[in-house]
């Protein structure tokens, strides 16, 4: 609960593997490296800074296929994060 609403920046290498639930808003246990590729912030193997905001419990994560990666649906999860799109 202490981190809800806070924004953090992480140095990440884009990846294609790992668990990934949601679109735009991902469960806290979704791999950030894959979520960044899914959102189009990074390409696979690209290193960059990814800015995320921590969110509280959420109901209903919707999976999708974007940028060559497929994420899954998930019902309720006690925490989530949202990736901010990089400014070009």
């Amino acid at each position: 609960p202490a981190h809800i609403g806070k924004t953090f920046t992480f140095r990440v290498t884009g990846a294609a593997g790992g668990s990934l639930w949601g679109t735009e808003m991902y469960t806290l246990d979704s791999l950030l490296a894959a979520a960044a590729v899914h959102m189009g912030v990074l390409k696979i193997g690209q290193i960059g800074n990814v800015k995320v905001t921590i969110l509280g419990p959420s109901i209903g994560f919707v999976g999708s296929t974007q940028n060559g990666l497929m994420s899954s649906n998930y019902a309720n999860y006690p925490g989530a994060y949202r990736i901010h799109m990089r400014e070009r």
Side-chain angles (χ1 to χ4, degrees):
H3 295 306
I4 292 174
K6 292 185 179 174
T7 299
F8 299 92
T9 301
F10 299 98
R11 190 96 171 137
V12 176
T13 301
S19 56
L20 190 59
W21 291 283
T23 300
E24 293 185 19
M25 182 175 65
Y26 300 90
T27 61
L28 273 182
D29 65 339
S30 291
L31 184 68
L32 181 56
V37 172
H38 189 256
M39 278 295 294
V41 174
L42 295 175
K43 294 183 180 354
I44 294 170
Q46 181 183 12
I47 299 170
N49 293 328
V50 177
K51 189 193 240 183
V52 301
T53 298
I54 306 300
L55 307 172
S58 297
I59 298 171
F61 294 84
V62 179
S64 67
T65 300
Q66 296 181 165
N67 301 302
L69 293 187
M70 186 174 78
S71 65
S72 300
N73 295 329
Y74 204 87
N76 304 350
Y77 202 78
Y81 63 86
R82 183 178 305 279
I83 294 178
H84 297 263
M85 294 303 291
R86 279 197 296 198
E87 296 171 7
R88 306 256 177 229

